[in-house]
Amino acid sequence: MKRNLLLNQTVVSVNVGMINAEKVSFEWAGSTHSFELIQRSGDTVVLRDAHGVQHRLQVTSGLVSGCGLDAEITDATAGSKKKPAVLGGLNAPMPGKVFKVLVKTGEPVTKGQTLLVLEAMKMEHAIKADKDGKVRKILFQEGDLVQGGMTLAELE
Amino acid sequence: MKIKKILIANRGEIAVRVIKSARAMGIKTVALYADDDAKLPHVWMADEAHCLGTGTLKETYLNQAKILEVAKNTKADAIHPGYGFLSENAGFCEAVEKAGLIFIGPTAEAIRLMGDKIGSKIAVEKYNVPMIPGYHGSNQDGAFLSGEAKRIGFPVLIKASAGGGGKGMRIVHAESEFLEALASAKSEAAKAFSNDAVLIEKYVTEPRHIEVQVMSDTHGQHFHLFERECSIQRRYQKVIEETPAPRLSIETQKAICQTAVEIAKGINYRGAGTVEFIMGADQKFYFLEMNTRLQVEHPITEMVTGFDLVGLQIQVASGEKLNLKQSDIRQNGHAIECRICAEDPDNGFLPTVGTIKKIGTATLKDVRLDCGYVDGSVVGVNYDPMLAKLIAWAPTREEAINKMLVALDEVVFAGLKSNRDYLRRLLRHSDFKAGKTHTHFIPDHSESLKPLPADSKEFAVHVAAYLLAGTKTSVSSEGVAKKNPWTSLSGLRN
């Protein structure tokens, strides 16, 4: 039975052959894997694979950590795919404060020109025009607090 | 004068750190907090806590008048400034002492002397301290500077005198490129700092950042507690630190530690300090600057020497003569520190925010977590993105790396994206394992430090764990809890 998962923000597909409370067998990355759940104590999970090798992992709130790797895993459903922060786009890549607005409505700008500077965690992030154009709208003023993903400026 | 109560003018992990040592010494503590920090552990671990209100840093943690008022009202004997914030503010040091309190740190004079990059270089020159060959003068004529660059020896670094952060900086490898690079650097400096003056310095190849911990008391004793290597950096921020520095000859180690002590002695230093050097592949080292405060990475020195540096700071501040000889201070084993930060290294290292669902616990012996948060703490945009320091000690460097990798599996910081996975990649990198550390490590190896693709076979076990024991409810980015049908199967053994 095919299941779609979101693993580290990428949609992946796993073909589950069989699953019950203690055992699972599935196809992944070109081979078949079987694991037995040996122990579960709090967030610690111990799995034994088909060769008898044991693997200890922590499973907490969407994060599976162990064996030297982290995997953020949830079921993939429409809308659960996170949009990666668009660097250089006109959205705020992170929550912060509008530090400086460098252009005005109606002003012509060139690709790569800095339109605003966002300040967060002592870092400055320049929001640059992604194409030549004219400033249609600057949606915030200096001193405004913004959330990640919010549109900061529109060009036409 | 015996210190009975310390006010900590800081927050987060360093405030917790100071409270721990003070408690061990039977000294009472007063914590300060801005309104949005009210639920953090440094607040409720202290014997008293006072709110600094809301507002900008200037109105809270940097508000000298408010801090001194609380100190007066709580009858604190001394103030510990931590690191950052007011720790290297000479004016604050003076204000504290004027108010009749003890400043747990150096004198205002030492802070001022070492606070100026150029001034500190001039100050230490007389102690036979090796300096990076360079020209820092006012003659800005192109032909003259080109001659200076030749004298210094290529490659050279052209740096803007008036600022930093990489602006107005150019590396020049040959005489033929010099004038063009100079013009470009000057123009950038003029735009960024309204001052196009530049200085020229020898460019050290494969530079390593080696620093030495010093501790001076008020009875003329100046000690060193050996060196730390802090070369694994990103944008001038340290990521991994370790001690002893790998691939360092005994002679060089002796020389660099002795140089640091000579500086502390020469300027009649007081308290804890760190002398920073740049070292080339040829093991020649040059003075960079001195930090007149306790540093973030001090725990690795503590793990290897067995000393409590905060405790020593308090003893010195009380006027005690440290009952020590330099020969009592020895390095035992190896310690590594990883800075766990709220940032996404696979997405331009952008800061992340969120609520810490679970920090986790390191179970191996000699692994220490210095953290200023607890489960449930909210991490926002207003302060430094460092969440915690994870420190591992072992008899050998290889074992310390192994312990750290196990610890990174256990200290999960679930609830927000952190750089833990990136730290693992750094620790497992063949060049890091071989001790080939230098300050360009991260940019040089950026390709090989990329994460595994999501469909890699290495994730089979994680997928299995999710399928068999994934959380009963999963929370999407919209904050709506969804039921996971596979884990609502009954009969799951506990």
Side-chain angles (χ1 to χ4, degrees):
Chain A
M1 138 127 222
K2 195 157 172 254
R3 275 188 69 183
N4 286 333
L5 301 176
L6 197 63
L7 198 157
N8 291 343
Q9 288 160 41
T10 309
V11 178
V12 292
S13 189
V14 56
N15 220 343
V16 182
M18 125 332 146
I19 182 165
N20 62 32
E22 288 149 31
K23 256 180 144 130
V24 69
S25 151
F26 56 92
E27 268 166 52
W28 173 264
S31 16
T32 311
H33 302 266
S34 320
F35 292 93
E36 208 185 316
L37 178 66
I38 299 300
Q39 172 68 355
R40 184 177 191 178
S41 174
D43 289 340
T44 306
V45 161
V46 184
L47 303 179
R48 193 179 285 160
D49 67 23
H51 307 281
V53 179
Q54 297 182 162
H55 311 266
R56 280 171 312 283
L57 303 120
Q58 299 280 320
V59 183
T60 317
S61 157
L63 174 66
V64 183
S65 176
C67 310
L69 284 174
D70 273 3
E72 278 165 28
I73 309 183
T74 56
D75 279 5
T77 58
S80 70
K81 181 168 183 177
K82 273 191 226 153
K83 261 185 274 223
V86 180
L87 288 171
L90 304 181
N91 300 318
M94 61 184 148
K97 189 170 10 172
V98 178
F99 178 60
K100 254 197 175 98
V101 177
L102 297 163
V103 296
K104 294 193 290 288
T105 315
E107 193 176 321
V109 293
T110 50
K111 180 172 174 182
Q113 181 176 346
T114 303
L115 308 175
L116 305 115
V117 179
L118 198 66
E119 187 210 324
M121 290 195 187
K122 304 187 220 169
M123 227 177 74
E124 278 180 19
H125 190 88
I127 307 294
K128 297 186 173 170
D130 53 357
K131 56 176 192 224
D132 290 349
K134 212 161 66 166
V135 178
R136 186 199 287 137
K137 207 174 175 177
I138 302 279
L139 286 88
F140 292 95
Q141 287 178 345
E142 290 180 18
D144 284 345
L145 292 172
V146 297
Q147 299 285 5
M150 282 180 163
T151 304
L152 300 171
E154 285 170 21
L155 298 183
E156 62 196 3
Chain B
M1 174 208 154
K2 191 156 166 58
I3 293 174
K4 296 203 219 50
K5 189 186 270 191
I6 297 175
L7 179 144
I8 299 145
N10 214 298
R11 65 178 293 279
E13 77 87 16
I14 191 63
V16 170
R17 173 72 192 85
V18 175
I19 291 171
K20 282 185 179 161
S21 286
R23 260 192 186 170
M25 294 166 85
I27 298 173
K28 298 260 182 249
T29 50
V30 180
L32 299 173
Y33 63 99
D35 211 48
D36 54 1
D37 278 346
K39 299 225 165 77
L40 293 189
H42 79 269
V43 179
W44 41 260
M45 279 177 73
D47 295 297
E48 299 175 48
H50 291 262
C51 186
L52 297 165
T54 55
T56 60
L57 272 181
K58 264 212 200 115
E59 298 167 298
T60 58
Y61 294 104
L62 302 179
N63 190 333
Q64 299 188 31
K66 239 187 216 166
I67 293 169
L68 288 168
E69 197 190 327
V70 175
K72 195 175 79 175
N73 294 339
T74 56
K75 296 201 180 52
D77 303 309
I79 295 189
H80 195 302
Y83 51 65
F85 285 4
L86 296 166
S87 61
E88 285 175 294
N89 186 313
F92 180 62
C93 171
E94 277 168 346
V96 170
E97 294 182 339
K98 204 163 174 193
L101 288 105
I102 295 173
F103 180 80
I104 301 177
T107 58
E109 191 191 332
I111 295 176
R112 272 203 185 93
L113 187 65
M114 291 301 160
D116 182 313
K117 276 200 161 84
I118 295 183
S120 62
K121 285 190 165 135
I122 297 172
V124 304
E125 225 155 7
K126 53 167 136 355
Y127 306 117
N128 272 324
V129 175
M131 315 285 281
I132 302 182
Y135 174 74
H136 302 95
S138 50
N139 188 341
Q140 299 284 305
D141 170 63
F144 173 76
L145 289 176
S146 185
E148 282 298 287
K150 215 162 142 202
R151 170 187 70 80
I152 290 164
F154 291 94
V156 298
L157 189 61
I158 304 175
K159 259 165 135 166
S161 303
K167 291 216 165 83
M169 233 159 67
R170 293 287 183 282
I171 302 170
V172 187
H173 295 275
E175 198 178 344
S176 53
E177 307 164 3
F178 185 82
L179 287 172
E180 192 184 328
L182 178 66
S184 168
K186 273 180 164 298
S187 137
E188 196 170 275
K191 272 197 212 116
F193 316 113
S194 308
N195 178 348
D196 74 346
V198 295
L199 56 92
I200 319 275
E201 257 175 18
K202 180 165 190 65
Y203 181 66
V204 178
T205 39
E206 285 202 353
R208 295 167 69 181
H209 174 118
I210 313 276
E211 58 188 38
V212 179
Q213 177 71 53
V214 296
M215 183 70 70
S216 306
D217 67 15
T218 50
H219 297 264
Q221 300 192 106
H222 305 273
F223 303 102
H224 74 77
L225 289 107
F226 295 100
E227 85 289 0
R228 294 184 287 255
E229 169 141 17
C230 311
S231 300
I232 307 298
Q233 298 178 6
R234 191 195 74 84
R235 281 210 220 157
Y236 306 105
Q237 300 273 64
K238 297 165 185 172
V239 179
I240 298 180
E241 304 105 337
E242 61 179 308
T243 180
R247 300 178 304 136
L248 195 69
S249 73
I250 305 254
E251 295 77 41
T252 310
Q253 190 199 44
K254 255 198 188 141
I256 203 172
C257 291
Q258 198 45 44
T259 305
V261 171
E262 291 303 315
I263 293 174
K265 212 187 267 180
I267 64 171
N268 200 21
Y269 194 64
R270 175 183 87 187
T274 296
V275 185
E276 297 191 333
F277 300 89
I278 285 224
M279 182 181 291
D282 54 7
Q283 303 239 334
K284 282 211 174 90
F285 58 88
Y286 311 98
F287 175 80
L288 192 61
E289 60 178 2
M290 180 174 186
N291 292 325
T292 56
R293 56 174 162 81
L294 191 67
Q295 302 229 140
V296 172
E297 58 271 20
H298 75 272
I300 53 175
T301 294
E302 294 185 324
M303 303 280 270
V304 152
T305 60
F307 284 93
D308 173 348
L309 291 174
V310 174
L312 288 176
Q313 280 186 299
I314 297 172
Q315 279 183 266
V316 166
S318 310
E320 273 178 55
K321 181 173 182 185
L322 294 179
N323 189 13
L324 278 179
K325 292 189 299 293
Q326 182 64 59
S327 55
D328 294 331
I329 303 172
R330 281 191 284 264
Q331 282 179 314
N332 173 31
H334 201 100
I336 299 180
E337 174 182 277
C338 285
R339 297 195 191 189
I340 299 178
C341 299
E343 59 186 24
D344 190 349
D346 304 322
N347 194 7
F349 291 90
L350 290 179
T352 58
V353 294
T355 301
I356 300 173
K357 297 250 160 58
K358 179 172 163 179
I359 292 175
T361 314
T363 60
L364 296 184
K365 182 170 167 286
D366 298 316
V367 179
R368 168 177 158 182
L369 182 71
D370 280 20
C371 183
Y373 296 104
V374 287
D375 291 357
S377 293
V378 176
V379 177
V381 287
N382 294 320
Y383 303 106
D384 195 89
M386 188 174 80
L387 296 167
K389 291 142 36 178
L390 188 55
I391 305 113
W393 177 93
T396 65
R397 184 172 188 268
E398 194 184 332
E399 282 176 74
I401 294 176
N402 289 340
K403 270 194 189 173
M404 183 63 81
L405 286 167
V406 172
L408 283 167
D409 272 358
E410 298 175 320
V411 178
V412 293
F413 275 98
L416 81 170
K417 188 88 181 69
S418 69
N419 64 343
R420 281 165 44 263
D421 213 50
Y422 184 76
L423 290 166
R424 285 160 164 148
R425 289 175 237 150
L426 282 166
L427 293 163
R428 287 193 295 245
H429 196 285
S430 51
D431 272 17
F432 181 82
K433 294 215 301 229
K436 294 195 188 147
T437 45
H438 55 85
T439 55
H440 303 148
F441 191 99
I442 286 182
D444 282 2
H445 297 295
S446 60
E447 273 309 305
S448 50
L449 289 169
K450 289 211 157 99
L452 279 178
D455 57 2
S456 306
K457 63 176 182 347
E458 287 85 348
F459 287 120
V461 64
H462 300 75
V463 170
Y466 176 74
L467 293 173
L468 286 170
T471 47
K472 284 200 157 60
T473 55
S474 54
V475 181
S476 72
S477 55
E478 284 80 45
V480 174
K482 295 193 308 266
K483 257 224 149 135
N484 180 338
W486 296 102
T487 54
S488 40
L489 290 169
S490 61
L492 201 67
R493 262 205 313 236
N494 228 356

Short mmCIF file of all heavy atoms in Angstrom, two decimals, chain B residues 92-120:
data_model
loop_
_atom_site.label_atom_id
_atom_site.label_comp_id
_atom_site.label_asym_id
_atom_site.label_seq_id
_atom_site.Cartn_x
_atom_site.Cartn_y
_atom_site.Cartn_z
N PHE B 92 29.82 51.23 31.75
CA PHE B 92 29.01 50.46 32.70
C PHE B 92 29.88 49.98 33.86
O PHE B 92 29.49 50.07 35.03
CB PHE B 92 28.35 49.27 32.00
CG PHE B 92 27.48 48.42 32.90
CD1 PHE B 92 26.36 48.97 33.53
CD2 PHE B 92 27.79 47.09 33.13
CE1 PHE B 92 25.56 48.20 34.36
CE2 PHE B 92 26.99 46.31 33.96
CZ PHE B 92 25.87 46.86 34.58
N CYS B 93 31.07 49.50 33.53
CA CYS B 93 32.00 49.04 34.58
C CYS B 93 32.24 50.17 35.58
O CYS B 93 32.20 49.99 36.79
CB CYS B 93 33.30 48.57 33.93
SG CYS B 93 34.62 48.23 35.09
N GLU B 94 32.48 51.35 35.04
CA GLU B 94 32.72 52.50 35.91
C GLU B 94 31.50 52.84 36.75
O GLU B 94 31.61 53.13 37.94
CB GLU B 94 33.12 53.72 35.07
CG GLU B 94 34.59 53.72 34.71
CD GLU B 94 34.93 54.74 33.64
OE1 GLU B 94 34.02 55.27 32.98
OE2 GLU B 94 36.14 54.99 33.46
N ALA B 95 30.33 52.79 36.11
CA ALA B 95 29.09 53.12 36.83
C ALA B 95 28.84 52.14 37.98
O ALA B 95 28.42 52.53 39.07
CB ALA B 95 27.91 53.11 35.85
N VAL B 96 29.14 50.87 37.72
CA VAL B 96 28.96 49.84 38.75
C VAL B 96 29.87 50.14 39.93
O VAL B 96 29.44 50.13 41.09
CB VAL B 96 29.27 48.44 38.18
CG1 VAL B 96 29.34 47.39 39.28
CG2 VAL B 96 28.22 48.04 37.16
N GLU B 97 31.13 50.42 39.62
CA GLU B 97 32.10 50.66 40.70
C GLU B 97 31.80 51.96 41.43
O GLU B 97 31.94 52.05 42.65
CB GLU B 97 33.52 50.60 40.13
CG GLU B 97 33.84 49.18 39.64
CD GLU B 97 35.24 48.96 39.09
OE1 GLU B 97 35.90 49.95 38.70
OE2 GLU B 97 35.67 47.80 39.06
N LYS B 98 31.33 52.95 40.69
CA LYS B 98 30.96 54.22 41.31
C LYS B 98 29.81 54.03 42.29
O LYS B 98 29.74 54.68 43.33
CB LYS B 98 30.52 55.21 40.22
CG LYS B 98 30.67 56.66 40.61
CD LYS B 98 30.63 57.53 39.36
CE LYS B 98 30.61 59.01 39.69
NZ LYS B 98 30.26 59.77 38.49
N ALA B 99 28.90 53.11 41.95
CA ALA B 99 27.75 52.84 42.82
C ALA B 99 28.14 52.00 44.03
O ALA B 99 27.29 51.60 44.82
CB ALA B 99 26.66 52.12 42.02
N GLY B 100 29.43 51.71 44.17
CA GLY B 100 29.89 50.97 45.34
C GLY B 100 29.77 49.47 45.19
O GLY B 100 29.91 48.72 46.16
N LEU B 101 29.53 49.00 43.95
CA LEU B 101 29.43 47.55 43.74
C LEU B 101 30.69 47.02 43.06
O LEU B 101 31.47 47.78 42.50
CB LEU B 101 28.23 47.23 42.86
CG LEU B 101 26.87 47.41 43.52
CD1 LEU B 101 26.18 48.64 43.02
CD2 LEU B 101 26.01 46.19 43.24
N ILE B 102 30.82 45.70 43.10
CA ILE B 102 31.96 45.06 42.44
C ILE B 102 31.54 44.66 41.03
O ILE B 102 30.48 44.04 40.83
CB ILE B 102 32.41 43.80 43.22
CG1 ILE B 102 32.94 44.21 44.60
CG2 ILE B 102 33.47 43.02 42.45
CD1 ILE B 102 33.24 43.04 45.50
N PHE B 103 32.36 45.00 40.03
CA PHE B 103 32.12 44.56 38.65
C PHE B 103 32.93 43.28 38.46
O PHE B 103 34.17 43.30 38.56
CB PHE B 103 32.57 45.65 37.68
CG PHE B 103 32.38 45.31 36.24
CD1 PHE B 103 31.12 45.44 35.65
CD2 PHE B 103 33.44 44.89 35.45
CE1 PHE B 103 30.93 45.14 34.30
CE2 PHE B 103 33.25 44.60 34.10
CZ PHE B 103 32.00 44.72 33.54
N ILE B 104 32.25 42.16 38.22
CA ILE B 104 32.97 40.89 38.07
C ILE B 104 33.53 40.83 36.66
O ILE B 104 32.91 40.33 35.72
CB ILE B 104 32.06 39.68 38.37
CG1 ILE B 104 31.52 39.80 39.79
CG2 ILE B 104 32.82 38.37 38.21
CD1 ILE B 104 30.55 38.71 40.20
N GLY B 105 34.74 41.37 36.52
CA GLY B 105 35.36 41.47 35.21
C GLY B 105 36.60 42.32 35.36
O GLY B 105 37.07 42.57 36.47
N PRO B 106 37.14 42.79 34.24
CA PRO B 106 38.37 43.59 34.31
C PRO B 106 38.07 45.04 34.72
O PRO B 106 36.93 45.40 34.99
CB PRO B 106 38.88 43.53 32.87
CG PRO B 106 37.67 43.33 32.04
CD PRO B 106 36.66 42.59 32.88
N THR B 107 39.14 45.85 34.74
CA THR B 107 38.95 47.27 35.04
C THR B 107 38.43 47.97 33.79
O THR B 107 38.60 47.47 32.67
CB THR B 107 40.30 47.91 35.40
OG1 THR B 107 41.21 47.70 34.30
CG2 THR B 107 40.90 47.28 36.65
N ALA B 108 37.83 49.15 33.99
CA ALA B 108 37.32 49.92 32.85
C ALA B 108 38.47 50.27 31.92
O ALA B 108 38.33 50.31 30.70
CB ALA B 108 36.62 51.18 33.36
N GLU B 109 39.62 50.49 32.52
CA GLU B 109 40.81 50.87 31.74
C GLU B 109 41.19 49.75 30.78
O GLU B 109 41.47 50.00 29.60
CB GLU B 109 41.95 51.13 32.72
CG GLU B 109 43.19 51.77 32.13
CD GLU B 109 44.35 51.73 33.11
OE1 GLU B 109 44.09 51.71 34.33
OE2 GLU B 109 45.51 51.70 32.65
N ALA B 110 41.20 48.52 31.27
CA ALA B 110 41.55 47.38 30.41
C ALA B 110 40.51 47.19 29.32
O ALA B 110 40.84 46.88 28.17
CB ALA B 110 41.68 46.11 31.25
N ILE B 111 39.24 47.40 29.68
CA ILE B 111 38.17 47.25 28.69
C ILE B 111 38.38 48.26 27.57
O ILE B 111 38.30 47.94 26.38
CB ILE B 111 36.78 47.45 29.33
CG1 ILE B 111 36.49 46.33 30.34
CG2 ILE B 111 35.70 47.46 28.25
CD1 ILE B 111 35.17 46.51 31.09
N ARG B 112 38.69 49.51 27.96
CA ARG B 112 38.88 50.56 26.95
C ARG B 112 40.09 50.27 26.08
O ARG B 112 40.03 50.39 24.86
CB ARG B 112 39.13 51.90 27.66
CG ARG B 112 37.88 52.60 27.96
CD ARG B 112 38.04 54.08 28.13
NE ARG B 112 36.73 54.54 28.55
CZ ARG B 112 36.36 54.68 29.82
NH1 ARG B 112 37.23 54.48 30.78
NH2 ARG B 112 35.13 55.05 30.11
N LEU B 113 41.17 49.86 26.73
CA LEU B 113 42.42 49.63 26.01
C LEU B 113 42.26 48.55 24.94
O LEU B 113 42.67 48.70 23.80
CB LEU B 113 43.51 49.21 27.01
CG LEU B 113 44.92 49.08 26.47
CD1 LEU B 113 45.43 50.43 26.00
CD2 LEU B 113 45.84 48.51 27.53
N MET B 114 41.62 47.45 25.33
CA MET B 114 41.49 46.32 24.42
C MET B 114 40.26 46.39 23.54
O MET B 114 40.10 45.57 22.64
CB MET B 114 41.48 45.01 25.23
CG MET B 114 42.82 44.72 25.88
SD MET B 114 44.10 44.59 24.61
CE MET B 114 45.56 44.85 25.58
N GLY B 115 39.39 47.37 23.80
CA GLY B 115 38.15 47.45 23.03
C GLY B 115 38.35 48.01 21.64
O GLY B 115 37.54 47.83 20.74
N ASP B 116 39.46 48.67 21.42
CA ASP B 116 39.75 49.32 20.15
C ASP B 116 40.71 48.43 19.37
O ASP B 116 41.81 48.16 19.82
CB ASP B 116 40.38 50.68 20.45
CG ASP B 116 40.68 51.46 19.20
OD1 ASP B 116 41.25 50.89 18.26
OD2 ASP B 116 40.34 52.65 19.17
N LYS B 117 40.30 47.94 18.20
CA LYS B 117 41.12 46.98 17.43
C LYS B 117 42.50 47.55 17.13
O LYS B 117 43.50 46.85 17.25
CB LYS B 117 40.42 46.61 16.12
CG LYS B 117 39.41 45.50 16.29
CD LYS B 117 39.09 44.81 14.95
CE LYS B 117 38.46 43.45 15.16
NZ LYS B 117 37.03 43.48 15.37
N ILE B 118 42.53 48.80 16.74
CA ILE B 118 43.84 49.38 16.39
C ILE B 118 44.61 49.73 17.66
O ILE B 118 45.80 49.44 17.78
CB ILE B 118 43.66 50.61 15.48
CG1 ILE B 118 43.05 50.16 14.14
CG2 ILE B 118 44.98 51.32 15.25
CD1 ILE B 118 42.88 51.25 13.12
N GLY B 119 43.92 50.33 18.62
CA GLY B 119 44.55 50.71 19.88
C GLY B 119 45.15 49.53 20.61
O GLY B 119 46.24 49.61 21.18
N SER B 120 44.45 48.39 20.60
CA SER B 120 44.95 47.22 21.33
C SER B 120 46.22 46.70 20.66
O SER B 120 47.15 46.26 21.34
CB SER B 120 43.90 46.13 21.39
OG SER B 120 43.55 45.67 20.11
#
